[in-house]
Each structure stands twice: as structure tokens, then as C-alpha cells.
């Protein structure tokens, strides 16, 4: 009984929060791309990913290793 309740709550949470996705605003995109070699291509790429994310399409997110 308890596991059924947990599953129902989990599905309910997915339905409510599943369609909400947060993308970067333009200032954050410019700040991130300031460190890149080709700033203009970086900005275009991130803006395209932002648009695709808002449309509901899946995007690929590269993972960069942490540097101290």
C-alpha cells in the first residue's frame, strides 16, 4: 500500500514538474561564451539549444571536467 502511494506521488510530481525547463538568458549566454575562442559561434550554438529546449526538443549537453 505504501509503495503504491509512493509511485502515485512520484508520477504526480513528474506530471507537474516534467514540462517546466529552465534555459539560460542572453546575459548568461554571453558570459559563458566570453571565455571561448570563437565567441560568435558559441553564442549561436547556445541560442539554438535554448530555442530547441523551449520547443520541447531534446538537446545534447557536453560535460566539461572541473579545473581548479
Amino acid at each position: 500500500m505504501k509503495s503504491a502511494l509512493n509511485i502515485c506521488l512520484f508520477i504526480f510530481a513528474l506530471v507537474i514538474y516534467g514540462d517546466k525547463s529552465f534555459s539560460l538568458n542572453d546575459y548568461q549566454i554571453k558570459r559563458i561564451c566570453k571565455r571561448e575562442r570563437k565567441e560568435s559561434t558559441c553564442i549561436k550554438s547556445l541560442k539554438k539549444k535554448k530555442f530547441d529546449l523551449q520547443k520541447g526538443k531534446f538537446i545534447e549537453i557536453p560535460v566539461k571536467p572541473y579545473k581548479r
Side-chain angles (χ1 to χ4, degrees), residues 20-33:
K20 295 180 182 178
S21 60
F22 300 104
S23 59
L24 299 173
N25 59 25
D26 290 334
Y27 175 74
Q28 290 172 328
I29 289 174
K30 288 178 184 176
R31 191 179 76 211
I32 290 169
C33 289

Side-chain angles (χ1 to χ4, degrees), residues 1-48:
M1 183 69 180
K2 188 174 182 180
S3 63
L5 178 65
N6 286 339
I7 291 172
C8 290
L9 288 175
F10 178 72
I11 292 173
F12 181 70
L14 284 177
V15 169
I16 291 177
Y17 297 111
D19 63 341
K20 295 180 182 178
S21 60
F22 300 104
S23 59
L24 299 173
N25 59 25
D26 290 334
Y27 175 74
Q28 290 172 328
I29 289 174
K30 288 178 184 176
R31 191 179 76 211
I32 290 169
C33 289
K34 193 186 316 182
R35 296 178 235 142
E36 299 294 322
R37 284 185 181 175
K38 295 184 179 183
E39 186 175 347
S40 61
T41 56
C42 176
I43 290 173
K44 287 179 188 176
S45 170
L46 286 179
K47 285 191 177 187
K48 183 182 179 301

